[in-house]
Amino acid sequence: MSTSSPAKGILKTVSLAAVIFLTVSGGPFGLEPLTQFAGKNGALLLLLLVPFLWDLPTILTVLELNSMMPVNGGYYKWVERALGKRWAFYEAWWSWLYSFTDLAIYPGLFVTYASFFYPDLAAWRIPILLVIIWGCAGLNILGIVPVGRLSILLSVIVILPFVVLFGVGLFNTGNHFSVPSPTLNGIGFSGVGMALYTVMWNFLGWDNTTTYAGEVNKPVKSYVTSTFIAFALVIVLYLLTTYITVNSGIDFKALSDGGFPIMGVKLAGRWLGILLSVGGMASALGIFSAVLLSISRVPKEMAEDKMLPKVLGKLHPRFNTPYLAILISAAIVSLMALWSFTELIVIDVILYGAGLSLEFFSLVRLRIKEPDAKRPFKIPLNAFWLSVMIILPIAIYSLALTGVLSKSDGSNKVVYFALLGLLTAELGWQAIKWKQRRTLALEKKN
């Protein structure tokens, strides 16, 4: 098992919490379509249920496996130890594909929020996307510490406008708040599916934050503390934002199209719209940089295991970062950014959920295979109850997928595209086996 040499600079708890917050959430930005899909009665209900059915089992799984193996490569190394190299390759491949899709979302969101200031900015969309993608790639090449420091700053810029929004919302409505009846009545099955995808997308990525565990100070303790800080912060921000939204009287379709800045204008005027727009841009930049940090560490580990070309494991001579993996990721994301927001989140969740399922299976497998292995953080359940626990997120994943497939407008083509992407993992594995056989044959011949 490779533990990998840590890159220069060690990430500490506060910086790690900020990176996790940005990797998983980046604030409520991107949550706007939820009320359009689920209505005011369903939005809060899903925000109360889904995080505990989808995220909590994920968080507990990630913390236990990371405490066993706090090394660079994270989920790739866990699956390799539990299920073998083939499934580890599947895990890394699917996660890489998911991360390309996920990364492609944020430059587009940046343009959406920046358009509040310059409505004609869409004409410059492609150049702006490229500047964001390659600028964040350059920052990642500088190392994990600059990314961590920027994450703290951007997290503050993201959170503050919503603190102001909550205050304004409370002041404007006085004591006349109403809590909508928690129900999905009147919401079509396909609408429920899209609402689930929206909530799931806004809560995914907990495992991505472990791929650089070898570069974190006291990783087991730091991850437990930082993860639960981030989880609590995300839950509170999402619930309060949605609560203010459903009491604001704003048109949910307009909110979905224009984002939270238009709600800020409605509640307090242009000044709050400006604050929320700046927060949205900061969120997009922070999430992009944090996710790129997480995914760039996996190709190096795969290259060391001879599952990817050796050159991808090459580190920058000065900054000791996997710069070629970062540059290749940026190039692929530059192409993926042309997809629409809705299409990207559907592809994103499908690919992510497949890889996450392998992590759940690895959790149970390692409990059976290595019951006495050191686990500084251990879920207080035996293998049977762990199996029951992981049924919950898998059921949510299956329900969302079924709901989207029930749409009859042809938009489920993106689902088939994502499923096809999952199948490419086997093609990649067969290519590796072919290369290994060819190398062995040449060695015998010589």
Side-chain angles (χ1 to χ4, degrees):
M1 177 181 70
S2 168
T3 57
S4 302
S5 313
K8 293 178 181 178
I10 296 295
L11 206 61
K12 297 184 179 179
T13 303
V14 175
S15 295
L16 179 62
V19 173
I20 291 174
F21 170 73
L22 288 175
T23 301
V24 172
S25 168
F29 299 105
L31 196 65
E32 293 96 332
L34 176 61
T35 46
Q36 182 187 1
F37 291 132
K40 67 177 183 179
N41 294 318
L44 282 170
L45 174 63
L46 292 180
L47 280 176
L48 288 169
L49 290 179
V50 174
F52 295 96
L53 299 177
W54 166 255
D55 283 88
L56 197 55
T58 302
I59 290 171
L60 295 174
T61 297
V62 166
L63 291 176
E64 177 166 324
L65 292 174
N66 187 62
S67 74
M68 287 183 69
M69 302 176 66
V71 298
N72 280 8
Y75 47 77
Y76 167 69
K77 290 295 184 181
W78 310 336
V79 176
E80 181 183 33
R81 181 166 167 177
L83 305 176
K85 287 189 177 295
R86 183 177 198 157
W87 289 110
F89 177 80
Y90 271 52
E91 170 75 8
W93 186 268
W94 290 342
S95 297
W96 214 12
L97 293 180
Y98 135 71
S99 295
F100 293 149
T101 308
D102 198 51
L103 284 168
I105 292 171
Y106 305 111
L109 282 180
F110 180 94
V111 173
T112 296
Y113 292 113
S115 295
F116 179 83
F117 301 102
Y118 305 103
D120 297 330
L121 201 62
W124 296 89
R125 184 174 182 269
I126 301 302
I128 294 171
L129 297 183
L130 294 176
V131 168
I132 293 170
I133 291 168
W134 291 98
C136 289
L139 179 67
N140 268 264
I141 290 173
L142 295 179
I144 193 170
V145 172
V147 174
R149 289 171 179 166
L150 179 65
S151 295
I152 294 174
L153 174 63
L154 293 177
S155 294
V156 172
I157 295 174
V158 167
I159 293 169
L160 279 179
F162 283 99
V163 173
V164 176
L165 177 69
F166 302 150
V168 169
L170 290 170
F171 178 79
N172 282 358
T173 55
N175 296 319
H176 303 292
F177 280 111
S178 63
V179 179
S181 302
T183 177
L184 293 174
N185 288 340
I187 308 298
F189 191 39
S190 62
V192 172
M194 286 305 303
L196 284 173
Y197 269 120
T198 303
V199 177
M200 291 162 72
W201 174 72
N202 276 278
F203 275 100
L204 57 79
W206 302 101
D207 51 345
N208 281 353
T209 64
T210 64
T211 61
Y212 40 82
E215 301 168 55
V216 173
N217 184 47
K218 298 180 181 178
V220 174
K221 180 180 178 181
S222 293
Y223 271 101
V224 172
T225 303
S226 300
T227 298
F228 281 111
I229 289 173
F231 181 65
L233 182 58
V234 173
I235 288 284
V236 170
L237 280 174
Y238 286 5
L239 285 174
L240 285 176
T241 301
T242 304
Y243 187 56
I244 294 296
T245 300
V246 300
N247 281 279
S248 68
I250 195 168
D251 178 79
F252 296 150
K253 176 66 167 60
L255 176 66
S256 180
D257 293 338
F260 286 120
I262 67 168
M263 190 167 77
V265 172
K266 177 179 174 60
L267 292 178
R270 185 170 174 80
W271 67 270
L272 185 52
I274 291 173
L275 281 181
L276 287 164
S277 296
V278 171
M281 292 186 287
S283 173
L285 289 175
I287 299 174
F288 187 95
S289 187
V291 173
L292 183 58
L293 171 69
S294 69
I295 193 56
S296 65
R297 269 49 181 178
V298 177
K300 178 181 179 295
E301 301 301 319
M302 295 177 71
E304 289 182 357
D305 289 344
K306 299 180 179 178
M307 290 191 180
L308 285 178
K310 192 174 181 179
V311 69
L312 288 176
K314 190 175 180 180
L315 299 179
H316 193 281
R318 179 180 176 186
F319 303 113
N320 204 31
T321 50
Y323 70 101
L324 287 178
I326 292 171
L327 293 175
I328 290 171
S329 297
I332 296 173
V333 173
S334 296
L335 298 175
M336 291 291 296
L338 300 176
W339 289 72
S340 73
F341 175 77
T342 303
E343 291 170 332
L344 286 169
I345 66 170
V346 171
I347 298 171
D348 198 358
V349 176
I350 291 173
L351 295 172
Y352 175 78
L356 183 61
S357 298
L358 292 181
E359 295 168 33
F360 289 141
F361 299 148
S362 296
L363 173 72
V364 177
R365 174 63 175 156
L366 286 171
R367 278 292 191 91
I368 297 170
K369 181 182 175 183
E370 303 180 36
D372 299 322
K374 184 179 179 182
R375 294 172 172 85
F377 180 92
K378 185 176 181 179
I379 304 170
L381 299 172
N382 60 26
F384 172 78
W385 287 109
L386 285 178
S387 301
V388 173
M389 180 190 78
I390 67 176
I391 289 174
L392 298 175
I394 291 175
I396 291 292
Y397 175 79
S398 302
L399 179 63
L401 179 60
T402 305
V404 173
L405 282 172
S406 70
K407 298 178 75 173
S408 58
D409 59 1
S411 59
N412 51 19
K413 290 178 182 178
V414 295
V415 176
Y416 300 135
F417 177 84
L419 296 176
L420 183 62
L422 295 178
L423 296 177
T424 62
E426 179 60 23
L427 295 178
W429 176 254
Q430 291 302 326
I432 290 171
K433 300 303 291 182
W434 174 82
K435 184 178 179 181
Q436 290 175 346
R437 289 193 297 268
R438 187 169 177 269
T439 300
L440 183 61
L442 289 174
E443 289 175 352
K444 288 181 177 178
K445 188 176 181 180
N446 295 331

